[in-house]
Amino acid sequence: MVRSLGADDVVDYTRKDFTQNGRRYDLILDNVASHSFSDLMRVLTPQGLIVPNSGHSGMGYVFKAFLLSPFLRQLGSMYLAVPDSRNLAVLKDLIEAGKLAPVIDRTYPLSETPAAFRYLVGEHARGKVVITVAE
């Protein structure tokens, strides 16, 4: 799935430790936060960049990334999604035109929202989990 979205390299973090494979990376989008920043820095190219993007590791991870970023040239700022109705309208148009296909793992009715959250807590969703609201 990830390769179909344009990734050059895909690593199953449950089977391989990408920091031990001898490769160097231009960009690490850290969605899992399972490695220390020093481990990540070691596998970057000289111009590489780490973009911390994990909320599940708690605020300690967020604060550490924020505090280290002024001192580590290769540590980018946290990715922060800010909802904007104009951007959402553009996304809607792209989806309706068939130019963008969202990856949806599971869909739950509103009445099963607790089950959806239990599924998300397992941290193995392979796309978005959608809550549907009947009209």
Side-chain angles (χ1 to χ4, degrees):
M1 173 187 62
V2 178
R3 204 174 295 285
S4 72
L5 296 172
D8 293 329
D9 190 23
V10 179
V11 177
D12 180 348
Y13 70 93
T14 65
R15 296 181 184 191
K16 295 180 186 175
D17 182 351
F18 75 96
T19 65
Q20 302 297 318
N21 67 12
R23 294 193 60 197
R24 300 271 181 229
Y25 300 92
D26 295 316
L27 174 67
I28 298 173
L29 177 59
D30 187 6
N31 288 328
V32 181
S34 60
H35 291 86
S36 68
F37 288 118
S38 60
D39 285 346
L40 298 177
M41 296 290 290
R42 191 177 65 251
V43 297
L44 281 178
T45 61
Q47 295 78 26
L49 182 66
I50 301 166
V51 177
N53 188 37
S54 179
H56 84 270
S57 292
M59 291 305 292
Y61 177 82
V62 173
F63 287 132
K64 187 172 185 177
F66 176 76
L67 292 173
L68 288 174
S69 62
F71 306 105
L72 300 175
R73 176 183 57 82
Q74 293 176 296
L75 180 59
S77 60
M78 292 289 293
Y79 175 79
L80 179 62
V82 179
D84 179 314
S85 61
R86 293 170 297 187
N87 291 339
L88 292 174
V90 169
L91 287 174
K92 174 188 160 291
D93 292 343
L94 290 170
I95 291 168
E96 288 176 350
K99 295 179 179 179
L100 177 67
V103 177
I104 299 173
D105 181 345
R106 294 188 183 183
T107 302
Y108 292 84
L110 182 61
S111 62
E112 294 181 26
T113 299
F117 275 96
R118 282 192 296 276
Y119 177 69
L120 285 171
V121 167
E123 301 175 16
H124 295 291
R126 300 188 63 124
K128 294 299 180 185
V129 173
V130 176
I131 306 296
T132 58
V133 180
E135 292 189 31

